[in-house]
Amino acid sequence: MEDPIQLKEEGNKYFQAKDYEKAIQSYTQAIKLNKDKALQAVLYRNRAACFLKKEEHAKAASDASRAIDINASDIKALYRRSQALEKLGKLDQAFKDAQKCATIEPRNKNFQETLRRLGANIQEKLHVQFSTDLRVQKMFEILLDENSEKEKREKAANNLVVLGREEAGAERIFQNNGVSLLLQLIETKNPELILAAVRTLSGMCTAHKARATAILHHLGIDSICAWMSVNNKEISLAVCNLLQSITDCLLGQGKEEQHGKAEAVVLDTKKDLRMITMRLLDMLVSKKVSGQGRDQALNLLNKNIPRKDLKDLDNSRTTFVIDNGLKKILKVVGQIPELPDCLPLTENTQLTASVLLNKLYDDLRCDPERDNYRLICEDYIKSKIDPQDMDKTLHAIQMVSGVLQGPFDLGNKLLGMKGVMEMMVALCGSEREIDQLVAVEALIHASTKLSRATFIISNGVTLLKEIYKKTKNEKIKIRALVGLCKLGSAGGTDYGLRQFAEGSMEKLARQCRKWLCNTSIDTRTRKWAVEGLAYLTLDADVKDDFVEDEPALQAMFELAKTSDKTILYSVASALVNCTNSYDTKEVVPELVQLAKFSKQHVPEEHPKDKKDFVVKRVKRLLKAGVVSALACMVNADSALLTDQSKELMARVFLALCEDPKDRGTVVAQGGGKALIPLAVEGTDVGKIKASHALAKIAAISNPDIAFPGERVYEVVRPLVSLLNTERDGLQNYEALLGLTNFSGRSDKLRTKIVKEKALPDIENYMFENHDQLRQAATECMCNLVVNKEVQERFVADGNDRLKLVVLLCGEDDEKVQVAAAGALAMLTAAQKKLCSKMTEVTTQWLEILQRLCLHDNVEVQHRGLVIAFNLISADTELAKKLVESELLEILTYIGKKEDDPKKQHIIDVARDCLTRCMDYGLIKPLSHA
């Protein structure tokens, strides 16, 4: 369609049908094709009305302004701009537009009312602003006065933080020289005041690009990084959050609110972002930076440098970091805490740096970029290998070890570099314990996959056994043991691919559990015991013994709750193994026979990996408190909580929710809350598993208890994501049960389900051949039809929704009939239009209604009679149609029955139907016959 006038008419039709998105498309197309100025003003004005309906107020104001530019006295455009500006908080500008409208049409009561309301709101705003200014002034006076009482200062500090989070408060602080005063608070060196000031600044920067940019330039990135470098976890984290708020604004992420005109001057943020990135990279290698500060710098780089979506082709931030900072990151992973020249580190620093290396490598788009990355690594490591200087070489091996924990394929290539493997072997044989320690760790990380571990298996086992027997140092002993565990488990869950002799794995596991329970050993060393168990628990005998050892389980859970987050993946791996929640290939008997015939290896299942053993292990883990440990792990705000770790946790949760009897325990220990972030972020598989676990809980639990408060609304989207043909039948079914449960709770929840676009999917499952899916979808729809928006969809022309529900009432499946009849009863009660529509959608409607009214199931019969009553009440003609049919005999037969407490509600409805027919004069009472 190329005619602007026709497009305008089409847009008007869409607008009346409340399809604002399509209306916008039609108006936009017309604007592009139109040459007539007067029509152009109308099109902009109409599109502004659509944006108002969609609550996109900045776009509405912009379009209305364009219409006013063409015709300054366009009253509709002026009024729409006034409405949009009011919503954007620009009351004075909105007032001016409303005033113009009232001047053009002085008798219009609507304009007069708007003027009164805006005038009152402006007065109130001025009053609030004035009182806020006084409050801000007072707070700073108290905070900057050293003689103020401690309690007063604390209260003022808290109030300031709260005020900074509100848009009006943040603006008042900013306008009243607040940034300089907050800087004075930071310079007091008082930790509490510093925290209050930084948190206030963080609130002021949130979702306001112009203010965030001004604050960044006022404070200076060097000062911000210096505050983040302090050895105080709380302050370091608060400054990290401030820098994240600023970065979100510069990147245009987060809930960016509209401030100023829609097409205001856009600040060039690339320069600021590069400056921040460079300072963060400098922090990584500075000795002045604390371990906490280094962690926060790495967390910021992890969060903001790699692309969030690989469909976005711009990976310039990643390539910039590789060119300018890859060597700095390698320097961090190459640190050896036991050596005197080591940078200040925490237990999480080096693994966080390895995660960053991995994310950067994964973010590269082509082989030349990956080759450049590899060459930088190779050159840097080569420069560190020096046979004359053992300490320098140690750093090189530690770097390889760090890369192996990040991009493993690249780490493998680095292992193949000339001199690397030889140096590792030489270090294993060294007399110095630190050499052995680094070499053993490198061997462990080098032997990750069976196909790639052949060299290590043939050479490493001997080396590790030698070290294990000779060394007196527990730290080295435990690492050597983990290396053996890892190599021993290289066959995975395949019972026929055991690397070591019968009983050796259990022996290694016993030693690991012994170390794990020994609290006199340092946390870093005990962590390696968990790492060992993460590999050994692939063996069913080991996992069975492990879950029986409650002290060992408790010790592992306690370690998972500590500040050392490097353990997350190992704990999650061990739990996945214990619950058998890893993916297993389906064994096809015919292929097994074929493999045996051709003398190929056939994977064998361990007898203790059968279902009844798995169920017992799950029960033991629940009893030991696995859910609270997992909940604590999910809350780790660290780059070390990788998407892979989240997926493992989601797998464990799904296994824990398998038995309906256990779901109450999972909820009671915080599992419901912990599953929500896992269902929203992570790998696709992880999100599906977590969503399925949520569906299992939602299907049978009271939502108010399982997901209290606003949390229940966050669960709707994961459940809707399972209504997908790519998901399996069980996932579809349990998601439908969960949504049925939710939709029966409140109209707010029903509205949320509709907003998440679940209706088309639920309708699709109502057509499903599978009885249980069709039943679950119909029950869900039965609950949803109470909602006004859902009813309107049934009333709308051009759809078969009502026909489907009527036909489902005639199904043989009793549960489907109950649900469909319930939905129809509620629809016909709420919308009179649907009563006449019901008689038009199918010729079988009367036969179906009669069958419902004579049904053996009391519930179905009651609903059928209610539908009949609704039809009779809706319209005399409809009532006449029903009276002329056999339905009158059915109603008379039921209505004449003697009172019966069990069926009284049915008899009463039948009598009400007859009474209504008498009122119409369609039938007469018996006595008058």
Side-chain angles (χ1 to χ4, degrees), residues 305-320:
I305 298 304
R307 290 170 290 169
K308 300 275 186 295
D309 183 1
L310 294 179
K311 288 174 189 167
D312 174 13
L313 298 178
D314 180 19
N315 68 342
S316 57
R317 291 201 299 276
T318 295
T319 50
F320 177 78

Side-chain angles (χ1 to χ4, degrees), residues 670-924:
K673 181 185 175 183
L675 273 164
I676 296 169
L678 294 178
V680 176
E681 291 174 356
T683 64
D684 289 341
V685 173
K687 287 192 281 191
I688 292 164
K689 301 273 182 198
S691 298
H692 192 189
L694 280 171
K696 285 180 180 290
I697 292 170
I700 62 163
S701 308
N702 179 341
D704 300 336
I705 295 168
F707 313 105
E710 296 295 304
R711 201 171 293 143
V712 69
Y713 302 103
E714 296 174 49
V715 182
V716 173
R717 185 171 292 177
L719 296 189
V720 173
S721 73
L722 294 175
L723 302 182
N724 186 319
T725 47
E726 289 177 14
R727 307 284 86 84
D728 64 44
L730 183 63
Q731 289 169 342
N732 299 156
Y733 178 66
E734 290 184 318
L736 284 166
L737 289 185
L739 289 169
T740 304
N741 194 4
F742 279 15
S743 56
R745 301 306 294 181
S746 72
D747 201 54
K748 203 173 170 189
L749 264 171
R750 288 189 280 274
T751 305
K752 175 69 177 167
I753 292 168
V754 173
K755 268 192 176 174
E756 290 296 340
K757 300 186 174 129
L759 273 184
D761 294 317
I762 295 167
E763 283 164 5
N764 285 343
Y765 288 108
M766 288 167 75
F767 284 103
E768 186 64 54
N769 288 328
H770 194 287
D771 289 346
Q772 282 175 296
L773 279 175
R774 191 167 69 246
Q775 176 200 322
T778 311
E779 285 174 356
C780 189
M781 187 58 79
C782 178
N783 284 351
L784 285 170
V785 293
V786 183
N787 182 268
K788 273 272 183 289
E789 200 174 329
V790 178
Q791 290 169 11
E792 282 169 13
R793 292 188 184 214
F794 275 88
V795 172
D797 294 329
N799 71 76
D800 288 334
R801 290 188 181 96
L802 189 65
K803 183 180 180 179
L804 174 62
V805 174
V806 174
L807 292 174
L808 286 174
C809 289
E811 285 280 312
D812 294 332
D813 186 326
E814 210 166 274
K815 286 183 176 174
V816 171
Q817 269 188 311
V818 170
L824 196 54
M826 283 188 277
L827 284 167
T828 49
Q831 299 283 342
K832 282 191 177 182
K833 284 182 187 174
L834 292 175
C835 296
S836 52
K837 192 175 179 181
M838 177 183 159
T839 63
E840 296 159 10
V841 289
T842 172
T843 52
Q844 299 167 9
W845 71 272
L846 191 55
E847 185 193 328
I848 290 168
L849 183 58
Q850 288 168 356
R851 278 177 62 193
L852 290 177
C853 293
L854 286 169
H855 208 284
D856 296 337
N857 183 322
V858 177
E859 224 178 322
V860 177
Q861 189 181 16
H862 178 243
R863 291 171 187 212
L865 288 163
V866 170
I867 296 165
F869 177 75
N870 293 339
L871 296 183
I872 292 165
S873 304
D875 182 30
T876 321
E877 287 303 311
L878 258 178
K880 196 175 177 184
K881 239 185 218 179
L882 294 176
V883 167
E884 286 168 359
S885 73
E886 289 172 17
L887 192 69
L888 181 60
E889 284 179 48
I890 297 166
L891 293 171
T892 309
Y893 166 71
I894 298 166
K896 277 184 179 177
K897 283 187 179 181
E898 287 182 21
D899 288 358
D900 175 355
K902 288 182 181 174
K903 293 187 175 180
Q904 195 58 45
H905 59 301
I906 292 170
I907 298 165
D908 287 345
V909 178
R911 288 173 183 171
D912 289 343
C913 289
L914 294 167
T915 308
R916 191 54 59 92
C917 291
M918 281 191 273
D919 293 345
Y920 289 144
L922 298 171
I923 57 171
K924 290 176 183 176

Side-chain angles (χ1 to χ4, degrees), residues 618-631:
V618 166
K619 303 280 182 199
R620 296 283 309 188
L621 286 167
L622 281 165
K623 193 182 168 194
V626 66
V627 178
S628 56
L630 283 168

